[in-house]
Structure formats: C-alpha cells, structure tokens
C-alpha cells in the first residue's frame, strides 16, 4: 500500500514539474522566436524513454485520444476568439483552401513521397493526405498577438478550422484502399459532403443552443459558466461524430456562434478557455513528444527524407495549391505568398499519422516518423518567421480598435452589473472629448481612468486621451449601447483604415 502511494506521489511530482517547466518554456519561446509547441514536444521527448527515461509511453490509442480531446478544446477556444465580421468576407477563399487546397497539396506531396521515400502510389498519397491540411492549434498559437492584417489572419484561421473533413476523408480513403484493396468512390464522396454539411449544421445548432443557454440560465456561480460553455464544445463534437459527420468542424462552428454572441460573463468564459487551451496544448504536445522515439525519428535517413518532403511541401505543394485555389479571389501576389508560408502543420497531421498505425498499414512507422519530422521542420522554420515575412511584405496592420473586456463583479442572480475595461486608441471617436460631452446611457458610469500608470479620478471636465484605459460600470441591458459608443471611430477613419488594410 505504502509503495503504491509513494509511486503515486512521484507521478504527481513529475506532472507538477512538467507543467511548470512547460509554462516557463513559453517565456523562452517568445524570446527565441520559436513556436512554443516545438518546445513542448521537446520536453516530451526529453522525459521519454529515449531521453531521461522517466516515462515510457508507446500507446497509439491513448495518444490519439489525448490528441482529439485537446484539439476540441483548442479549436473551441480559437473559434470563440474569432470575429464573425472578419471571417465573413473570407469564407469563400477559406473553404476553397480547406478543400481544393488540401486536395492539391495531397497530390503534390504524394508525388514527392513516391520518389523520395520509394513508397507505392497509395502509400505515398496517404502520406500526402496526412500532411495536406494546416493545423488549427499551430495557426491559432502562432498568429496570436502578431497583428497580421485581419483579412489574412481570418483566412488562415478559418481554413485551419474547416479543413479537417477533407484531410480525414482522404486519409481514411487511402487507408481503406491499403487494407481492403478497394474503395467505393461514390459512397466516399457522399460521405465527405455529409461530413461537411452535417458538421456545419450540428455546429450551428449547438452554438445557437449554447449562446441561448449561457444567457438565459442563471447559475449559482460565475465560475460555472466557462464549464457550461465547454460542455457545448464536447456536445458538438460527440453529436457530429455519432452522426458520422466532422466533429472538429462542428466544434469550430459552434465556438464561432458562441463567441460572437452577447454573453453573460463573457470575460470569465474567454479567460478560462484561454488558460485551458494552453493546458490542452501542453498536454497534447508533451504526449506526442513522449510517443515519439527520437532514436527512430532522428536518424540520418529519416531526417534527410523528412527534410526533402518538408521542402517539397513548403516551397512547391503549398504555394501551388494556394495560388490555384485563390486564382479567382482578390488576393495580391504578396498576400498569396504569405498565405502559402503561413500554412503551418502541427498536431492534426501527427494525430492523423497514428491512424495507419492503428489500422496496421505497412510502412506506417516510416510514414509517422517522416510526418513528425516534417511537422517539426514546418513549424520551426515557418512558425518562427511569420512576423518577419509579414513585415517584409508590408502585411502588418495598425491596431485599429481594442477589445472591450467585461469584469464580472458579483455572481449572477444577485446583480446585473459588469465592469467594462476599454483601451482607448488614437482613432476612437471619444479621444479629445470630455466626460460631460460623452453621451453614456443612464445605467453606465466611468469609474476610473488609468493613464501612464496613474489612476485618475474622472469628473465632468476630464478629457479622454489615446492610451487611456477606461473602467465603466454598466448594466447588462446597456452594455451593447456602451460598446457601440466606445468603439466608434472618428469620421473618415473607417474608409482610410479599410484602404490601409487592403493595400
């Protein structure tokens, strides 16, 4: 009994050290310009059997389960942060990249794999299908805070959130051909459209139900609302999966619906899911790092093959697929080149690479090793240089408006009041106005202003300046009106900023 307890204590200590180390790693990743997911994987490989030997892990089933579980959380968090006004104009190009783009990338990478790795055509196309889609976890993590033009950022996020059905469809198709020797084309094509259509529909229904429930049901504590929202994420995935539709697509669609609704306790929900999303990334990439045996991946032959596949993907397949897919959309050459470079690979290809192993496909270990090394190469070189490429192509936009945060003061049911936090920027219409001339609703009051680190007690003659942080006490019924007032820009600024964003 005591021996078992000691073993449990050691395991808990190891988990604590891994969590603390991984969070500290994010600080170094920012300074080094290296995507944090690469360092998370490195932590997993370090403590694995080929590293320090602290944990032995080789279960493909568990790795796949953890990967899917984490992707649900990451996609939900990313979808809630996605602004509908940003993605609505780019739905066409995003869906085209998520379907035709993935198909073209699969074919081009498959041709490269056929001659580089010496696989037969079906195995080569399987590898292409696995690595053909961009990864939402990588895209959301790398683009966060980069201030890339809204149109380009929205295109990449919407593409990565919707391209899983095509990647899964192609992967399963080629596995079926390899394991059974045949595949019925028409049922498979019908299955793909069902996955896309039903996934969209179920995601929309769950998202509507989620936003309605979060606003209408009064819970005893504000801390329950983030968990309530998370329940709808898993509901969207499970309902879609049981209906043989795309669960990950449903999660992303539901998250966009919920994130763009007026929510009670919005700030608490978003902050909880931001932290939980980081937790999911850490766990997922450490598990994937543990699942990898470095002495098999980092051999000379695998590294050379993986590097050649990565070069074919980054320099040939992704650019060609992007330019062909966006041929009829109004993107400049620089924007297409940037979208090509920013098509990051990450957890999804690694999780999909486990599918052939579970199905007993010949050469599945080789495919997994090459995919893993290719993903590392893509994430390391492309992910660390996205900001530099955007700046070189002049695709970085000025920050036009800042988000409004709501800080909930008292548990719902006792009060109907929130404290809104708003960072004022140069083009806001309230800049230069005194408080007595700002027509706030009756149930709204500016309580404090933070200016250059000092707290200013507001009064009628206080003038709002760019860089101020305003704290406004507001009732929920007046919240929408206050947001509209604060986010209004100076006359003429909308047209100027629109042209800047398109230039």
């Amino acid at each position: 009994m005591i021996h078992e307890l000691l073993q449990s204590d050691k395991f808990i200590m190891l988990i604590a050290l891994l969590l603390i180390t991984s969070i500290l790693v994010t600080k170094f990743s920012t300074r080094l310009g290296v995507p944090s997911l690469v360092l998370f994987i490195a932590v997993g490989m370090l403590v694995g059997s080929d590293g320090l030997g602290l944990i032995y892990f080789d279960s493909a089933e568990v790795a796949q389960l953890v990967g899917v579980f984490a992707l649900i959380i990451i996609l939900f968090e990313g979808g809630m942060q996605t602004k509908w006004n940003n993605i609505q104009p780019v739905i066409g190009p995003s869906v085209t990249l998520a379907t035709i783009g993935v198909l073209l990338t699969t074919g081009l990478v498959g041709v490269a794999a056929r001659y580089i790795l010496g696989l037969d055509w079906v195995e080569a196309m399987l590898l292409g299908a696995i690595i053909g889609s961009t990864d939402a976890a990588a895209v959301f993590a790398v683009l966060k805070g980069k201030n890339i033009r809204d149109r380009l950022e929205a295109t990449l996020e919407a593409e990565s959130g919707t391209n899983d059905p095509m990647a899964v469809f192609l992967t399963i198709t080629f596995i079926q051909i390899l394991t059974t020797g045949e595949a019925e084309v028409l049922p498979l094509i019908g299955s793909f459209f069902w996955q896309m259509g039903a996934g969209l529909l179920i995601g929309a229904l769950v998202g509507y139900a989620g936003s309605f429930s979060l606003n209408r049901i009064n819970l005893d504590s504000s801390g329950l609302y983030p968990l309530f929202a998370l329940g709808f994420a898993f509901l969207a995935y499970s309902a879609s999966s049981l209906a043989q539709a795309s669960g990950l697509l449903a999660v992303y669609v539901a998250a966009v619906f919920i994130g763009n609704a007026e929510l009670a306790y919005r700030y608490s929900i978003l902050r909880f899911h931001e932290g939980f999303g980081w937790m999911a990334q850490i766990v997922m990439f450490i598990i994937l790092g543990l699942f990898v045996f470095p002495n098999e991946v980092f051999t000379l032959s695998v590294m050379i093959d993986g590097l050649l596949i990565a070069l074919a993907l980054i320099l040939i397949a992704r650019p060609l697929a992007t330019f062909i897919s966006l041929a009829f959309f109004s993107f400049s050459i620089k924007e297409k080149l940037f979208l090509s470079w920013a098509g990051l690979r990450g957890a999804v290809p690694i999780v999909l690479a486990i599918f052939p192993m579970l199905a007993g496909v010949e050469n599945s270990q080789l495919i997994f090793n090459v995919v893993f090394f290719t993903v590392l190469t893509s994430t390391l070189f492309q992910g660390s240089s996205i900001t530099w490429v955007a700046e070189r192509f002049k695709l970085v936009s000025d920050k036009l408006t800042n988000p409004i945060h709501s800080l909930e003061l008292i548990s719902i049911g006792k009060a109907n009041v929130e404290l809104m936090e708003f960072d004022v920027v140069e083009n806001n219409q309230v800049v230069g106005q005194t408080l007595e001339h700002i027509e706030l609703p009756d149930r709204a009051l500016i309580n404090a202003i933070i200016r250059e680190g000092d707290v200013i007690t507001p009064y009628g003659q206080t003038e709002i300046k760019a860089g101020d942080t305003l704290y406004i006490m507001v009732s929920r019924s007046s919240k929408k009106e206050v947001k509209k007032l604060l986010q209004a820009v100076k006359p003429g600024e909308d047209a100027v900023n629109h042209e800047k964003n398109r230039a």
Side-chain angles (χ1 to χ4, degrees):
M1 178 68 177
I2 294 179
H3 176 72
E4 285 77 5
L5 285 173
L6 289 174
Q7 290 297 109
S8 299
D9 292 342
K10 289 178 182 178
F11 181 74
I12 293 171
M13 173 65 77
L14 180 60
I15 295 298
L17 292 175
L18 283 176
L19 182 59
I20 293 170
T21 302
S22 300
I23 292 173
L24 292 176
V25 153
T26 61
K27 188 70 175 177
F28 291 106
S29 72
T30 303
R31 291 185 177 182
L32 296 173
V34 177
S36 55
L37 61 90
V38 174
L39 300 181
F40 295 154
I41 289 175
V43 169
M45 290 190 291
L46 178 65
V47 300
S49 55
D50 282 351
L52 299 177
L54 299 177
I55 301 175
Y56 181 84
F57 178 77
D58 64 350
S59 173
E61 292 85 355
V62 174
Q64 183 192 35
L65 178 62
V66 171
V68 171
F69 190 92
L71 283 171
I72 294 171
I73 298 168
I74 294 165
L75 263 177
F76 191 69
E77 190 268 334
M80 284 200 300
Q81 300 280 4
T82 300
K83 303 300 180 189
W84 173 247
N85 290 337
N86 291 340
I87 66 169
Q88 187 178 12
V90 297
I91 289 177
S94 298
V95 173
T96 305
L97 284 171
T99 51
I100 296 174
V102 172
L103 187 63
L104 291 171
T105 303
T106 296
L108 292 168
V109 173
V111 172
R114 170 72 176 89
Y115 293 104
I116 292 171
L117 301 177
L119 300 172
D120 65 39
W121 279 110
V122 180
E123 290 175 337
M125 290 299 164
L126 172 60
L127 188 146
I130 289 170
I131 213 165
S133 65
T134 58
D135 176 59
V139 169
F140 291 148
V142 171
L143 291 183
K144 187 173 290 185
K146 292 295 190 293
N147 213 25
I148 309 298
R149 282 186 189 171
D150 289 343
R151 184 178 184 228
L152 299 177
E153 185 174 347
T155 301
L156 289 167
E157 290 182 352
E159 177 200 2
S160 65
T162 57
N163 63 9
D164 296 312
M166 177 60 85
V168 172
F169 161 71
L170 292 173
T171 299
I172 292 175
T173 298
F174 291 121
I175 289 176
Q176 183 176 338
I177 293 172
L178 287 169
T179 54
T180 65
E182 59 182 18
E184 297 181 9
V185 177
L186 289 179
L188 286 171
I189 293 175
S191 173
F192 166 72
F193 284 105
W194 169 256
Q195 286 189 45
M196 288 285 288
L200 283 168
L201 179 60
I202 292 172
L205 291 174
V206 173
Y208 177 79
S211 58
F212 180 85
S213 301
L214 286 164
N215 283 321
R216 294 300 180 93
I217 299 177
N218 292 338
L219 301 176
D220 293 335
S221 170
S222 61
L224 293 174
Y225 282 86
L227 296 175
F228 195 30
L230 185 63
F232 286 100
F234 288 108
L235 176 62
Y237 180 85
S238 57
S240 295
S241 298
L242 290 172
Q244 302 298 313
S246 175
L248 295 178
L249 176 61
V251 170
Y252 180 72
V253 172
V256 172
F257 263 78
I258 294 173
N260 284 273
E262 284 292 331
L263 296 178
Y265 288 83
R266 180 184 187 84
Y267 184 79
S268 296
I269 293 171
L270 293 179
R271 294 291 75 79
F272 171 85
H273 284 285
E274 184 178 12
F276 203 33
W278 274 108
M279 182 72 174
Q281 283 194 60
I282 290 170
V283 172
M284 175 174 64
F285 287 113
I286 287 180
I287 289 292
L288 293 177
L290 286 170
F291 184 68
V292 172
F293 289 84
N295 63 356
E296 295 180 1
V297 173
F298 296 103
T299 61
L300 185 60
S301 61
V302 171
M303 288 193 295
I304 291 174
D305 291 341
L307 182 59
L308 291 174
I309 294 292
L311 291 174
L313 170 67
I314 296 168
L315 302 179
I316 300 173
R318 172 69 180 181
L320 280 175
T322 300
F323 273 77
I324 293 172
S325 300
L326 301 180
F328 300 103
F329 296 99
S330 58
F331 287 89
S332 67
I333 292 177
K334 287 183 178 180
E335 288 176 328
K336 290 176 183 176
L337 287 172
F338 176 77
L339 291 172
S340 301
W341 187 255
L344 301 178
R345 270 61 187 173
V348 169
I350 296 176
V351 172
L352 288 179
I354 298 174
F355 282 33
M357 302 176 75
L358 295 174
V361 172
E362 189 179 356
N363 292 320
S364 60
Q365 187 63 56
L366 172 63
I367 291 172
F368 178 86
N369 292 339
V370 171
V371 167
F372 185 85
F373 188 83
T374 302
V375 167
L376 279 185
T377 304
S378 166
T379 307
L380 187 59
F381 288 102
Q382 293 174 273
S384 59
S385 59
I386 278 182
T387 303
W388 181 83
V389 172
E391 290 173 351
R392 294 285 292 182
F393 287 162
K394 296 182 172 30
L395 300 176
V396 178
S397 61
D398 297 328
K399 197 167 187 179
L400 305 179
T401 57
N402 284 325
I404 295 178
H405 300 309
S406 297
L407 310 179
E408 296 81 17
L409 301 178
I410 307 173
S411 293
I412 195 164
K414 298 180 181 179
N416 221 9
V417 178
E418 295 181 4
L419 186 65
M420 294 175 62
E421 174 190 334
F422 178 68
D423 295 327
V424 182
V425 292
E426 187 64 43
N427 66 339
N428 286 135
Q429 194 169 331
V430 295
V431 172
Q433 295 188 29
T434 58
L435 296 186
E436 63 184 359
H437 289 104
I438 299 176
E439 298 181 358
L440 287 172
D442 293 337
R443 296 184 178 182
L445 177 67
I446 297 178
N447 295 88
I449 300 174
I450 307 296
R451 181 176 295 163
E452 297 179 354
D454 296 325
V455 179
I456 296 175
T457 302
Y459 61 97
Q461 298 299 318
T462 302
E463 181 181 325
I464 303 297
K465 296 183 179 181
D468 286 353
T469 300
L470 310 181
Y471 289 93
I472 308 103
M473 187 85 73
V474 60
S475 66
R476 289 209 183 90
S477 60
S478 303
K479 185 177 171 183
K480 193 171 184 179
E481 186 179 350
V482 173
K483 285 179 67 174
K484 183 178 179 181
L485 173 67
L486 294 176
Q487 291 181 324
V489 297
K490 296 176 183 177
E493 287 286 327
D494 275 331
V496 172
N497 291 328
H498 180 70
E499 290 302 318
K500 277 186 180 180
N501 216 25
R502 289 183 59 84

